[in-house]
Amino acid sequence: MATTDIHPELRKAARFAPRRLITPLTLPVIRRLTVFQRARTDDVDILTLESGIGIRLYRPAGTETTAPALLWIHGGGYVIGTAAQDDLLCRRFVKELGITVAAVDYRLAPEHPYPVPLEDCYTALQWLARLPGVDADRIAIGGASAGGGLCAALALLARDRDGVKPVFQVLVYPMIDDRSVGTHLYNPGHRLWDATSNKFGWKAYLGGADPAVAAPARRTDLAGLPPAWLGVGTLDLFHDEDLEYAERLKAAGVPCQVHVVPGAFHGFDGIVAKADISTAFFYSQCDSLRESFGG
């Protein structure tokens, strides 16, 4: 399969998916549209922490003992998105693994640049560890796109601070490098997120912060991080930077399972969730999480 070939299961969706979703002009419009986003509330607890951070909490039915948990961080280029957008995914994790899942509504850039979104995620992690019924020694963290970037940054932050130490990190096509590295930055197979959107998202998130600190891929010391699962498609803008990060994790002694999907563009598993490649992508995450929890 050539580097520009879209996977057969994704070709129909690719015809309608935009190559660029976020720009300074479209940002206000997309944010307004998310206000009308509908999500089920019958089996989820919608909470607000003392800090003002929102949490959507999903629990397995009939669990009487302590169980592992996953802190999930939504994507959106650091500038859009809500925890509710991943309702279906979080429910699937609960059903498949029998764990508690907490999805965090962190504050968004550019109004709240680094380190605010990251600190929001850290606060949610500490809260989750104190939640009755959660095994504080078996908490994983995960996220997609910008959520994957925040997950990688959270793993680094938790390593460097006293407190909860996640046992695993799930990095779903994570947005981790503000330099937009790679050899196919303008690949015609890209969808949803391109190099122009990436520059805008990073500029909004970084504000005046030092990229060497704020961007996980720029961090030089990756030793001591929790084991990881990293997945990305070959037509994802983040493909090269993600695989490079995975290799650096391994070089630092951090186990990292890599799942590459040929012909898959950014966010493919959310757009065509029932495709075989999307299902395999999800269950690969589940298998790694289950192993990390000792199940």
Side-chain angles (χ1 to χ4, degrees), residues 89-118:
L89 176 63
C90 290
R91 287 186 171 92
R92 291 178 73 191
F93 278 128
V94 172
K95 181 179 180 181
E96 182 67 24
L97 299 171
I99 62 174
T100 293
V101 177
V104 55
D105 260 320
Y106 56 89
R107 286 171 285 181
L108 300 172
E111 294 85 355
H112 304 284
Y114 175 89
V116 175
L118 177 57

Side-chain angles (χ1 to χ4, degrees), residues 27 77-79 109-114 199-207:
L27 179 61
Y78 297 112
V79 295
E111 294 85 355
H112 304 284
Y114 175 89
K199 290 177 182 178
F200 171 65
W202 274 110
K203 182 178 179 181
Y205 177 66
L206 290 174

Side-chain angles (χ1 to χ4, degrees), residues 200-226:
F200 171 65
W202 274 110
K203 182 178 179 181
Y205 177 66
L206 290 174
D210 181 358
V213 176
R218 288 185 180 248
R219 297 289 293 272
T220 56
D221 181 11
L222 302 182
L225 292 175

Side-chain angles (χ1 to χ4, degrees), residues 96-186:
E96 182 67 24
L97 299 171
I99 62 174
T100 293
V101 177
V104 55
D105 260 320
Y106 56 89
R107 286 171 285 181
L108 300 172
E111 294 85 355
H112 304 284
Y114 175 89
V116 175
L118 177 57
E119 290 291 350
D120 286 350
C121 295
Y122 186 78
T123 297
L125 176 63
Q126 304 306 305
W127 171 84
L128 182 59
R130 298 191 297 268
L131 192 68
V134 167
D135 185 345
D137 294 324
R138 290 191 294 166
I139 295 179
I141 56 178
S145 193
L150 284 168
C151 176
L154 181 59
L156 287 157
L157 189 63
R159 178 199 65 182
D160 297 339
R161 288 183 178 176
D162 294 331
V164 182
K165 304 297 182 185
V167 297
F168 199 72
Q169 51 180 324
V170 178
L171 306 174
V172 181
Y173 34 79
M175 181 177 173
I176 52 176
D177 198 328
D178 65 295
R179 297 165 295 187
S180 296
V181 301
T183 57
H184 303 289
L185 295 183
Y186 300 97

Side-chain angles (χ1 to χ4, degrees), residues 37-294:
Q37 185 179 48
R38 294 183 178 182
R40 283 172 50 190
T41 59
D42 55 307
D43 60 348
V44 56
D45 294 326
I46 303 173
L47 312 170
T48 302
L49 306 187
E50 290 183 4
S51 60
I53 301 165
I55 296 286
R56 293 179 71 86
L57 185 66
Y58 311 80
R59 286 184 178 274
T63 301
E64 297 181 357
T65 58
T66 57
L70 169 66
L71 180 72
W72 184 258
I73 309 171
H74 71 79
Y78 297 112
V79 295
I80 63 168
T82 68
Q85 74 189 39
D86 292 329
D87 258 13
L88 178 60
L89 176 63
C90 290
R91 287 186 171 92
R92 291 178 73 191
F93 278 128
V94 172
K95 181 179 180 181
E96 182 67 24
L97 299 171
I99 62 174
T100 293
V101 177
V104 55
D105 260 320
Y106 56 89
R107 286 171 285 181
L108 300 172
E111 294 85 355
H112 304 284
Y114 175 89
V116 175
L118 177 57
E119 290 291 350
D120 286 350
C121 295
Y122 186 78
T123 297
L125 176 63
Q126 304 306 305
W127 171 84
L128 182 59
R130 298 191 297 268
L131 192 68
V134 167
D135 185 345
D137 294 324
R138 290 191 294 166
I139 295 179
I141 56 178
S145 193
L150 284 168
C151 176
L154 181 59
L156 287 157
L157 189 63
R159 178 199 65 182
D160 297 339
R161 288 183 178 176
D162 294 331
V164 182
K165 304 297 182 185
V167 297
F168 199 72
Q169 51 180 324
V170 178
L171 306 174
V172 181
Y173 34 79
M175 181 177 173
I176 52 176
D177 198 328
D178 65 295
R179 297 165 295 187
S180 296
V181 301
T183 57
H184 303 289
L185 295 183
Y186 300 97
N187 192 307
H190 289 163
R191 294 295 185 273
L192 301 183
W193 197 254
D194 66 359
T196 299
S197 295
N198 204 44
K199 290 177 182 178
F200 171 65
W202 274 110
K203 182 178 179 181
Y205 177 66
L206 290 174
D210 181 358
V213 176
R218 288 185 180 248
R219 297 289 293 272
T220 56
D221 181 11
L222 302 182
L225 292 175
W229 179 98
L230 186 149
V232 66
T234 57
L235 296 183
D236 197 308
L237 176 71
F238 302 144
H239 173 268
D240 290 4
E241 67 188 61
D242 287 354
L243 295 191
E244 181 180 339
Y245 191 70
E247 290 305 311
R248 289 185 57 222
L249 285 172
K250 295 176 185 178
V254 178
C256 181
Q257 178 184 345
V258 177
H259 187 113
V260 177
V261 186
F265 48 78
H266 193 69
F268 74 95
D269 54 326
I271 294 178
V272 193
K274 294 184 179 180
D276 289 343
I277 56 171
S278 300
T279 300
F281 197 65
F282 170 72
Y283 282 111
S284 179
Q285 297 167 48
C286 288
D287 289 345
S288 290
L289 282 165
R290 188 179 293 109
E291 182 178 352
S292 75
F293 293 140

